[in-house]
Amino acid sequence: SVRGKRILGEYPAALSADAPLNIGRGRIIPTTPWEAVWNGISQWMGVTDDSSLDEVLPNRNNFEKCSLFFDKELFVDGTV
């Protein structure tokens, strides 16, 4: 089951119109890469070795490893 009731990543300090992550018209630049969540989901679904994860998520190496989420962070049992 999913580990819920938590905010993962960095929540914006401000959401006002002049906030640094606000680019206008209700658009906020994310601080967490898309690959961060999919890294953990892929592991949970059985893609565990780095070469296979690189195939599934070709951009994941563009981010620091500490910014990626892992299966044990997202799911209670951490395995399928």
Side-chain angles (χ1 to χ4, degrees):
S1 65
V2 175
R3 285 187 195 272
K5 300 181 183 178
R6 299 174 303 144
I7 293 176
L8 299 174
E10 185 180 322
Y11 194 80
L15 297 174
S16 62
D18 60 343
L21 297 176
N22 188 334
I23 58 172
R25 297 177 33 196
R27 297 171 295 171
I28 305 293
I29 297 173
T31 58
T32 303
W34 178 255
E35 285 80 359
V37 176
W38 282 104
N39 189 71
I41 293 171
S42 298
Q43 289 176 329
W44 181 74
M45 295 182 77
V47 182
T48 54
D49 62 280
D50 280 342
S51 63
S52 295
L53 283 166
D54 291 343
E55 250 183 87
V56 173
L57 300 166
N59 292 321
R60 81 182 192 109
N61 288 320
N62 293 335
F63 305 97
E64 294 180 22
K65 203 152 189 128
C66 65
S67 70
L68 299 175
F69 302 131
F70 297 93
D71 53 354
K72 294 190 181 354
E73 294 175 279
L74 302 177
F75 302 97
V76 173
D77 57 3
T79 59
V80 178

